[in-house]
């Protein structure tokens, strides 16, 4: 193998610093996503949400999304939903400007949340 020049060694050093920075940022994203996974929707397990979600989740599952009946159920859930959205930033309703104020990690959690609902898994 050919010995590297001084310039190549310097370039490799800079490349290695870049790789390390990217690795550190990606690890921070992984830690953040793992934290979100642990805390996702925990507010549903306590009052005032648990009482409302216990009654309305089965009803919502049987209704067509955005139908008048679905929208009426959500209207009746307003207090619990307001509480839920205030504590869970993966919902656009959490943010003043909706999706426009969400971070990439908020959006990832939201999409994973929706996927679990749509697929039932």
């Amino acid at each position: 193998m050919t010995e590297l020049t001084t310039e190549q060694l310097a370039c490799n050093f800079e490349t290695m610093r870049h790789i390390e920075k990217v690795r550190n940022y990606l690890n921070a994203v992984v830690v953040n996503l793992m934290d979100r996974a642990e805390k996702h929707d925990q507010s549903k397990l306590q009052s005032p949400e648990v009482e409302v979600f216990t009654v309305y989740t089965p009803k919502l599952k049987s209704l067509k999304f955005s139908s008048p009946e679905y929208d009426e159920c959500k209207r009746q859930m307003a207090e619990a939903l307001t509480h839920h959205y205030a504590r869970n930033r993966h919902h656009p309703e959490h943010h003043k400007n909706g999706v426009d104020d969400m971070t990439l990690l908020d959006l990832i959690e939201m999409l994973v949340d929706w996927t679990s609902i749509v697929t039932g898994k």
Side-chain angles (χ1 to χ4, degrees), residues 29-44 84-95 99 102-118 121:
V29 169
V30 168
V31 167
N32 188 307
L33 287 173
M34 289 175 64
D35 184 58
R36 286 168 179 263
E38 292 300 318
K39 294 177 180 173
H40 179 82
D41 280 354
Q42 290 288 313
S43 63
K44 285 184 178 179
H84 184 70
Y85 296 149
R87 285 155 182 78
N88 293 276
R89 62 177 296 119
H90 65 278
H91 291 284
E93 297 87 349
H94 177 88
H95 304 275
V99 174
M102 294 174 76
T103 67
L104 179 58
L105 295 179
D106 295 335
L107 294 169
I108 290 169
E109 185 177 358
M110 179 185 72
L111 292 172
V112 171
D113 191 20
W114 290 356
T115 300
S116 73
I117 292 166
V118 171
K121 296 178 182 177

Side-chain angles (χ1 to χ4, degrees), residues 52-64:
V52 174
F53 281 96
T54 299
V55 171
Y56 285 95
T57 299
K59 291 180 182 182
L60 289 171
K61 285 182 180 181
S62 70
L63 298 172
K64 183 179 178 189

Side-chain angles (χ1 to χ4, degrees), residues 10-58:
C11 182
N12 278 357
F13 177 77
E14 290 302 318
T15 299
M16 288 169 52
R17 285 183 51 192
H18 167 74
I19 290 168
E20 182 180 19
K21 284 181 185 179
V22 170
R23 181 183 303 123
N24 290 341
Y25 285 126
L26 286 172
N27 285 334
V29 169
V30 168
V31 167
N32 188 307
L33 287 173
M34 289 175 64
D35 184 58
R36 286 168 179 263
E38 292 300 318
K39 294 177 180 173
H40 179 82
D41 280 354
Q42 290 288 313
S43 63
K44 285 184 178 179
L45 304 175
Q46 300 172 1
S47 219
E49 295 179 37
V50 67
E51 298 85 356
V52 174
F53 281 96
T54 299
V55 171
Y56 285 95
T57 299

